């Protein structure tokens, strides 16, 4: 709230923005169940968590998640990516997934994602149709392949850039474009923090 008030000046717009930030608050935490969940977030920064309960993931194909306002984080642990119904997930900005079965997810069907974290993957995972400007992270990756596949024509300019964050990543990472193009990725920034990361392969493929 202090930061919101400090940004107020003589303009109506600054007052409106400050009120919106104050009203948003810190958000809420939602824990998913093995039943059918229909989660609608708040105007704040919500945390929506799916995990393994009794050997079964609490995220299933019938669940719906709407992060609503704020910068929301959806964490799916112990996931089979093919079991995620992408169109049922909206207004989620940060996606954190632990892949335990080989599969893929289509990011073009999930609105709002600006950050993807592959966390403690024990099986191959593919993230397709990633939007421009999406930050990528691989944390605790086993000796498996994680593929980050950007959408059609995302790398069409002369200054395309991607940021990859690593922490204890030990497998292979492919960063690709989904269609053939004369332009490739010009800048790849790698930030390695925490435990040592030793990638077996890092591939940047255009097309």
């Amino acid at each position: 709230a202090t930061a919101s008030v400090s940004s107020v000046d003589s303009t109506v717009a600054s007052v409106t923005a400050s009120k919106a930030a104050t009203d948003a608050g810190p958000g809420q935490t939602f824990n998913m169940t093995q039943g059918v969940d229909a989660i609608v977030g708040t105007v704040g920064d919500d945390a929506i968590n799916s995990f393994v309960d009794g050997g079964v993931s609490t995220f299933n194909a019938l669940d719906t998640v709407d992060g609503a306002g704020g910068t929301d984080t959806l964490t799916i642990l112990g996931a089979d990516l093919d079991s995620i119904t992408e169109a049922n997930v909206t207004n989620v900005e940060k996606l954190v997934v632990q892949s335990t079965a080989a599969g893929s997810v289509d990011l073009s069907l999930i609105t709002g994602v600006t950050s993807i974290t592959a966390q403690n993957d024990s099986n191959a995972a593919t993230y397709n149709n990633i939007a421009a400007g999406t930050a990528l992270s691989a944390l605790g990756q086993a000796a498996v392949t994680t593929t980050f596949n950007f959408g059609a024509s995302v790398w069409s300019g002369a200054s395309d850039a991607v940021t990859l964050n690593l922490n204890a990543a030990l497998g292979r990472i492919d960063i690709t474009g989904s269609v053939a193009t004369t332009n490739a990725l010009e800048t790849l920034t790698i930030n390695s923090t925490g435990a040592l990361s030793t990638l077996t392969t890092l591939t940047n493929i255009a097309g």
Side-chain angles (χ1 to χ4, degrees):
T2 301
S4 300
V5 173
S6 66
S7 65
V8 174
D9 53 30
S10 60
T11 64
V12 173
S14 70
V15 174
T16 302
S18 175
K19 182 179 185 303
T22 302
D23 291 345
Q28 295 183 14
T29 297
F30 300 87
N31 292 322
M32 303 182 74
T33 69
Q34 289 185 356
V36 176
D37 297 301
I39 293 176
V40 178
T42 72
V43 294
D45 300 339
D46 301 311
I48 304 162
N49 302 316
S50 169
F51 46 90
V52 176
D53 182 10
V56 178
S57 174
T58 59
F59 195 102
N60 64 65
L62 298 178
D63 291 330
T64 58
V65 174
D66 180 357
T71 300
D72 307 303
T73 302
L74 172 60
T75 300
I76 306 174
L77 303 180
D80 175 355
L81 295 185
D82 291 335
S83 71
I84 298 174
T85 304
E86 295 95 337
N88 288 354
V89 181
T90 56
N91 299 316
V92 168
E93 288 71 35
K94 298 180 180 181
L95 182 64
V96 180
V97 179
Q98 178 195 30
S99 175
T100 56
S104 63
V105 61
D106 186 348
L107 274 300
S108 70
L109 302 177
I110 302 177
T111 60
V113 175
T114 59
S115 170
I116 301 170
T117 299
Q119 179 172 297
N120 299 327
D121 281 351
S122 60
N123 221 314
T126 300
Y127 300 87
N128 289 320
N129 295 312
I130 300 171
T134 301
L136 310 177
S137 298
L139 312 179
Q141 179 200 34
V144 298
T145 298
T146 300
T147 300
F148 297 109
N149 183 26
F150 281 76
S153 303
V154 167
W155 297 343
S156 59
S159 58
D160 304 301
V162 169
T163 297
L164 174 64
N165 302 303
L166 302 176
N167 186 336
L170 302 177
R172 169 175 173 156
I173 295 177
D174 291 345
I175 300 175
T176 71
S178 62
V179 294
T181 175
T182 56
N183 290 299
L185 175 66
E186 283 77 32
T187 303
L188 175 62
T189 300
I190 300 177
N191 300 316
S192 181
T193 59
L196 178 67
S197 293
T198 306
L199 299 180
T200 57
T201 307
L202 175 61
T203 304
N204 170 23
I205 304 171

